[in-house]
Amino acid sequence: VNEVTNPTLINSACDMVAAAYASTEESHPYIKSSCDAVEKGVKSESKAAATCVQPVLAMLEPCVAAGSEFESKGLDKPGEKLPLLQKSGEQVISEIQEQVTSRGAEAEDAMSS
């Protein structure tokens, strides 16, 4: 999980979603109470699931460790192949806006000539 969420873009996107969620909770008291109830439910369900799954995880731990090591080697490659993942959400949005503006200007020039 850490390897997948480590790239800057994904981490930045998660931060942006968390900030939007917190802002929405602060702005709307009715939504906040609903979200609080859902969060409590998820936490209690997670604890119950963890208790049930713990013995199975202990038994599978050597297999999971081997798979995790193998997979982490493969997860290094997306960062190399997709440098976009190493940029923040703000940088990606800014670059997209620049591209749209540039393409719009090119289209406008082509239409006027």
Side-chain angles (χ1 to χ4, degrees):
V1 171
N2 288 337
E3 291 291 329
V4 171
T5 59
N6 192 28
T8 305
L9 178 60
I10 294 171
N11 197 7
S12 175
C14 289
D15 290 345
M16 291 169 76
V17 169
Y21 179 78
S23 174
T24 301
E25 276 191 321
E26 289 175 17
S27 302
H28 305 285
Y30 295 115
I31 292 176
K32 179 174 178 25
S33 62
S34 298
C35 290
D36 288 346
V38 170
E39 288 172 14
K40 287 178 185 175
V42 168
K43 285 177 184 175
S44 64
E45 291 297 324
S46 297
K47 287 179 184 177
T51 303
C52 295
V53 173
Q54 195 62 40
V56 175
L57 289 177
M59 191 170 42
L60 294 174
E61 190 172 358
C63 297
V64 171
S68 177
E69 182 180 333
F70 176 75
E71 191 60 32
S72 70
K73 292 176 184 172
L75 288 172
D76 291 340
K77 298 204 186 306
E80 296 168 8
K81 303 277 184 191
L82 300 168
L84 176 75
L85 293 174
Q86 303 307 324
K87 297 179 181 181
S88 71
E90 291 84 6
Q91 288 173 314
V92 172
I93 290 169
S94 175
E95 288 179 13
I96 290 171
Q97 288 172 336
E98 287 174 17
Q99 285 291 325
V100 168
T101 302
S102 173
R103 301 285 183 203
E106 289 173 10
E108 201 174 292
D109 290 344
M111 294 292 282
S112 50
S113 61

